[in-house]
Amino acid sequence: MTVTVKNIIPAKYAEDTQTSQYTAQSCRTIIDKFTATNVTASNATLSVNIVQSGGTAGTDNLIISVRAIAPGETYTCPEIVGHVVEPNCELSTDSDTASAIVIAASGREVT
């Protein structure tokens, strides 16, 4: 077994449509840290899903549901820490406002 620590989502703005941010290839990925920072002067929301291979984001795979993040707040997303993204599955996000929330995540890929 090989474990590789990886920056699975380099800091970027979360899109205002459901968007795949990371897909586990031929490995399992354990999420160690996931942050969401609102860089605007208004509240913004973020939802996060772990989508199975061939599936789509929906209520059946929702991990964080429309979490309001205050202006200037960095939310550490404890709901997602420790979750596993299985091979060919993806971590997907959706924000209500484009260019409002900067997301970043790190984890361990296990092969």
Side-chain angles (χ1 to χ4, degrees), residues 21-61:
Q21 302 295 348
Y22 171 78
T23 301
Q25 299 304 312
S26 57
C27 62
R28 287 189 165 117
T29 302
I30 302 164
I31 301 166
D32 292 324
K33 188 75 169 181
F34 191 109
T35 58
T37 304
N38 183 348
V39 297
T40 68
S42 302
N43 282 342
T45 64
L46 181 71
S47 295
V48 180
N49 298 68
I50 295 178
V51 182
Q52 298 303 311
S53 178
T56 58
T59 56
D60 61 330
N61 51 37

Side-chain angles (χ1 to χ4, degrees), residues 15-98:
E15 293 83 354
D16 62 351
T17 60
Q18 193 71 44
T19 303
S20 175
Q21 302 295 348
Y22 171 78
T23 301
Q25 299 304 312
S26 57
C27 62
R28 287 189 165 117
T29 302
I30 302 164
I31 301 166
D32 292 324
K33 188 75 169 181
F34 191 109
T35 58
T37 304
N38 183 348
V39 297
T40 68
S42 302
N43 282 342
T45 64
L46 181 71
S47 295
V48 180
N49 298 68
I50 295 178
V51 182
Q52 298 303 311
S53 178
T56 58
T59 56
D60 61 330
N61 51 37
L62 192 60
I63 306 299
I64 298 174
S65 179
V66 194
R67 170 59 160 82
I69 302 173
E73 177 186 6
T74 297
Y75 183 61
T76 58
C77 305
E79 303 92 334
I80 194 108
V81 172
H83 276 275
V84 177
V85 182
E86 297 290 339
N88 302 311
C89 298
E90 64 184 37
L91 187 60
S92 180
T93 64
D94 184 14
S95 176
D96 69 336
T97 308

